[in-house]
Amino acid sequence: MVELIGNKKINLAVFISGKGSNFYALAKSSMLKKSKFKINLVISNNRKAKGLIFAKKFKIKKKILNFKNKNYTENKIIKLLSKDKIDLICLAGFMKILSKNFIKRFKGKIMNIHPSLLPKYKGLNVHERVIKNKEKYSGCTVHFVSSKLDSGKIILQKKVKVLKNDTPKSLAKKILKQEHLIYTKAIEKIYFNL
Ligand code: GRF
């Protein structure tokens, strides 16, 4: 567990590239009275990311950054994170790979959510591969980010049954529903021992 001073809420920055349904779930959960965190900032590398509409809905500051020059952009992010007193970065469908230096600097302070039972099925097109391999179970994982893709320490997982008639789409939908629940739980587990 991470030591917190006093009873303060932790400040999150969420990084997205697409639909942002996990961002939405985190934002919704942050609005609950009992919530242990607050989202101060959302960052997207994609100005067309659908999830950006939730920034407006929840009055969360948004920044759109193009990653053409990764070093320059990451330095900009570092300044933004410090300005907004961010304690934790939550990657949620963020499709850019952060540099080794950036990850090292925020060791233990970056989480990601992945739609498989890691260490199985790292990378993309997870559901297609799970179905092709006739797996009985799949699921989702919240993990710390390390410099190796989808390989950092696992924080929380949720198992989901793969049915005979599941398609990549139906499985993704089923798993996404669980993702929306476990991200909040994973944060509470690390910071509040809940
Ligand atoms: C989720 O399945 C997440 O696990 C993966 O990308 C997807 C993002 O979905 N990393 P959304 O943008 O949060 O709706």
Side-chain angles (χ1 to χ4, degrees), residues 140-177:
C140 45
T141 304
V142 178
H143 63 95
F144 281 117
V145 171
S146 71
S147 52
K148 265 176 126 187
L149 186 72
D150 299 329
S151 298
K153 188 168 181 272
I154 291 171
I155 301 165
L156 207 60
Q157 292 187 305
K158 177 78 188 177
K159 218 166 154 182
V160 161
K161 222 172 176 170
V162 183
L163 302 176
K164 281 219 172 72
N165 57 357
D166 262 326
T167 60
K169 203 171 161 192
S170 68
L171 187 58
K173 195 171 163 195
K174 216 162 30 173
I175 290 176
L176 204 52
K177 217 168 146 187

Side-chain angles (χ1 to χ4, degrees), residues 102-156:
F102 186 92
I103 292 169
K104 214 165 126 194
R105 183 180 183 127
F106 295 101
K107 190 168 186 274
K109 300 260 157 61
I110 313 177
M111 290 183 188
N112 181 41
I113 188 150
H114 184 77
S116 80
L117 293 174
L118 290 174
K120 290 178 101 174
Y121 300 100
K122 297 172 184 170
L124 297 174
N125 305 318
V126 169
H127 310 304
E128 283 82 353
R129 289 186 280 141
V130 164
I131 287 176
K132 205 171 155 205
N133 289 345
K134 298 191 169 36
E135 296 283 1
K136 286 201 168 64
Y137 293 94
S138 188
C140 45
T141 304
V142 178
H143 63 95
F144 281 117
V145 171
S146 71
S147 52
K148 265 176 126 187
L149 186 72
D150 299 329
S151 298
K153 188 168 181 272
I154 291 171
I155 301 165
L156 207 60

Side-chain angles (χ1 to χ4, degrees), residues 14-25 51 54 91-95 112-116 123-124 126-127 139-141 143 150 172 175-176 179-180 183:
V14 183
F15 288 24
I16 65 169
S17 299
K19 283 197 316 294
S21 70
N22 277 291
F23 168 43
Y24 176 75
F54 304 127
L91 307 184
F94 183 64
M95 301 304 284
N112 181 41
I113 188 150
H114 184 77
S116 80
L124 297 174
V126 169
H127 310 304
C140 45
T141 304
H143 63 95
D150 299 329
I175 290 176
L176 204 52
E179 292 185 37
H180 298 158
Y183 219 153

